[in-house]
Amino acid sequence: MKILVVGGGAREHTIVWKLSQSPKVSKIYTAPGNAGTARLAQNLEINANDIQTLLKTAIEKKIDLTVVGPEAPLAEGIVDEFQANGLQIFGPTKAAAQIEASKVFAKELMQKYNIPCAGSATFSSYTEAKKYLEKQATPIVIKADGLAAGKGVFVAETMEQAHQALSSIMQDRAFGSAGDRVLIEEKLNGREMSVFSFADANTSMPSMPACDYKPVFDGNRGPNTGGMGSYSPPQFLTPELFKTINDTIMQPTVRAMQNEGVPYQGVLYGGLMITGEGPRVMEFNARFGDPETQVVLPRLKTDLLDIMLAVVNNNLNQIDIEWSDNACVGAVMASGGYPGGYKKGLPISGFDGLDDDILVFHAGTKLDSAGRVVTSGGRVLTVVATADTIAHTREKVYNNISRIQFEGCHYRRDIALLNK
Ligand code: AMP
Ligand code: GLY
């Protein structure tokens, strides 16, 4: 089968890597891909948001299955466009992707179906929101309704910060129409966990959990990034917690979507806080996480193509999904200065000196005119290992990561070490 993977980060490189292991896959294209995907697939110079060009290309190249990595094309309706043209595509429709693209939609769904989540109130008027906020206590969380590239959530410690956040979203319109509505939400305390479930219209499979590390520096200090590393399974996951997450959150959510007439097909990503009272949803995403995918898919034993086809054809209940018991750890190497400004085009060396079982998933990389791998983004590579324990896996990652070099590169040294 011919596959098209939409996106160009380490998440997409991991998806390409996993799909390339399927005996049924004959050719993979990526749009736009990176220097890592170029080894396993053919990169196409098409932006992941250019739905019409992607559609035209999929028809021309007779693509059998398209797999969408990032949220923006899903929220814009890439799945609806492909389906309307008779093409198979893995991901939720525009209506179902609202579970990520509208936090108000997700919250109303959870409230209606008693899915445990943070208590909150929704406003479309700045004056009303301000009046309500004045009666609340801090800390408090202020969220823009729509997609804001991960920047639309403010955990305010003081009332002044909360008012600033509200005014930036609703008055300054920092996120445009994504800030037409806001949620004012209780702050949850506990440990964060991301869970991923393959879901078709009728079923959600037991979820695969992981933890990611957003702050740039060790000890969770410094500004937030797209993610500096991740590991799976979380050290604090018990069988009881796993069952509660699936029975009270993931399964009921997939059933609720079906019941509402917006069946969900794809990967459902639950962003959870594990509180003293049990797991609570902070948000849902309509796709795989990055950098969690880099540590989740290496643990998948089942053919990923078989699972994706089962999702598309709504027969997921006929498939057994098997996961390895091994631990998996991934640390991100970033450009000097990231998440602020950084240089691009710097040569990367050391790939040849790595142990055989180390995986390197590329994000901001490209091939220069001489065919060398150079940097082209903030997050550059995720270096991944699997082993029997988290401690062994960490050792493997950090023994190898220092052999890869580019000017100014930095990475966290405490991924999977903090009891997060
Ligand atoms: P979200 O995009 O809604 O997951 O929010 C991004 C981040 O903000 C989460 O990963 C949490 O660290 C934090 N966050 C969001 N909602 C809450 C909440 N209700 N309580 C505490 N932290 C939150
Ligand atoms: N790991 C956070 C995200 O993918 O949204």
Side-chain angles (χ1 to χ4, degrees):
M1 292 182 88
K2 290 192 202 165
I3 313 290
L4 169 62
V5 176
V6 176
R11 164 181 54 204
E12 287 77 18
H13 185 188
T14 312
I15 293 170
V16 167
W17 166 79
K18 193 70 202 173
L19 284 173
S20 71
Q21 295 165 12
S22 170
K24 301 182 194 80
V25 170
S26 55
K27 168 110 188 166
I28 307 179
Y29 296 91
T30 43
N34 55 43
T37 62
R39 297 202 183 149
L40 301 166
Q42 184 177 334
N43 289 348
L44 303 170
E45 279 185 39
I46 308 172
N47 188 294
N49 297 320
D50 185 352
I51 295 175
Q52 288 312 318
T53 309
L54 289 168
L55 176 63
K56 199 169 134 256
T57 307
I59 293 169
E60 271 167 22
K61 299 205 179 293
K62 300 191 167 46
I63 299 294
D64 298 295
L65 177 72
T66 298
V67 179
V68 187
E71 63 275 17
L74 293 169
E76 286 301 315
I78 188 171
V79 169
D80 310 61
E81 282 285 332
F82 273 56
Q83 285 176 348
N85 284 275
L87 297 179
Q88 294 202 107
I89 181 162
F90 179 86
T93 58
K94 182 174 180 160
Q98 281 185 94
I99 202 161
E100 170 167 9
S102 168
K103 290 184 190 292
V104 174
F105 173 91
K107 186 65 74 177
E108 286 173 353
L109 185 86
M110 290 187 278
Q111 285 168 343
K112 180 167 173 186
Y113 290 89
N114 289 322
I115 293 158
C117 60
S120 82
T122 300
F123 299 92
S124 49
S125 140
Y126 172 68
T127 323
E128 293 297 315
K130 189 160 173 282
K131 229 192 282 173
Y132 174 85
L133 182 58
E134 274 156 9
K135 292 193 219 112
Q136 305 305 307
T138 52
I140 195 153
V141 182
I142 315 286
K143 298 183 173 184
D145 173 45
L147 291 182
K151 299 195 170 69
V153 174
F154 299 85
V155 181
E157 295 301 330
T158 65
M159 214 18 106
E160 194 190 339
Q161 288 170 350
H163 279 289
Q164 263 172 13
L166 185 63
S167 147
S168 137
I169 296 171
M170 293 198 99
Q171 290 200 296
D172 307 342
R173 319 241 343 129
F175 311 106
S177 60
D180 283 351
R181 293 189 289 179
V182 289
L183 283 92
I184 301 182
E185 186 165 291
E186 76 171 302
K187 185 184 175 217
L188 298 171
N189 295 307
R191 287 164 156 175
E192 286 189 43
M193 191 194 285
S194 311
V195 296
F196 303 90
S197 293
F198 291 104
D200 70 8
N202 313 305
T203 320
S204 120
M205 300 308 272
S207 58
M208 181 38 87
C211 287
D212 72 340
Y213 291 74
K214 293 196 177 84
V216 66
F217 299 128
D218 284 10
N220 284 332
R221 285 175 300 110
N224 270 354
T225 67
M228 292 299 289
S230 52
Y231 77 96
S232 175
Q235 279 148 313
F236 54 95
L237 182 77
T238 60
E240 295 74 32
L241 176 58
F242 181 70
K243 185 167 165 23
T244 307
I245 290 170
N246 288 305
D247 292 354
T248 67
I249 296 176
M250 303 308 275
Q251 283 281 8
T253 301
V254 169
R255 278 201 300 267
M257 293 292 278
Q258 168 81 304
N259 209 42
E260 291 295 303
V262 277
Y264 190 94
Q265 287 171 281
V267 174
L268 182 63
Y269 167 160
L272 312 181
M273 185 73 88
I274 313 304
T275 73
E277 286 81 52
R280 299 280 180 274
V281 179
M282 288 187 292
E283 67 167 350
F284 281 116
N285 293 317
R287 52 172 174 83
F288 275 118
D290 189 340
E292 293 96 325
T293 304
Q294 293 91 300
V295 297
V296 164
L297 289 187
R299 297 187 58 212
L300 177 63
K301 292 207 238 167
T302 313
D303 186 324
L304 180 59
L305 180 68
D306 286 343
I307 301 174
M308 289 181 159
L309 290 174
V311 165
V312 167
N313 295 314
N314 272 327
N315 53 21
L316 200 48
N317 59 356
Q318 286 165 33
I319 275 215
D320 276 330
I321 300 184
E322 277 190 85
W323 300 96
S324 142
D325 289 332
N326 276 343
C328 192
V329 175
V332 170
M333 299 186 81
S335 294
Y338 174 81
Y342 50 82
K343 283 193 206 164
K344 288 185 187 177
L346 303 169
I348 309 172
S349 64
F351 293 119
D352 294 339
L354 302 179
D355 296 345
D356 289 344
D357 54 353
I358 294 295
L359 297 164
V360 180
F361 296 119
H362 292 224
T365 68
K366 63 177 194 182
L367 296 171
D368 70 4
S369 51
R372 293 178 310 176
V373 179
V374 298
T375 64
S376 71
R379 287 189 297 165
V380 177
L381 305 165
T382 313
V383 178
V384 174
T386 51
D388 52 349
T389 65
I390 299 250
H392 285 156
T393 318
R394 270 181 48 76
E395 230 174 85
K396 277 191 179 184
V397 168
Y398 286 108
N399 277 339
N400 280 272
I401 199 168
S402 53
R403 301 179 203 167
I404 304 178
Q405 303 213 315
F406 52 93
E407 186 194 310
C409 77
H410 63 100
Y411 52 88
R412 280 182 63 155
R413 282 153 217 273
D414 64 350
I415 301 303
L417 181 63
L418 274 187
N419 197 12
K420 189 188 157 193

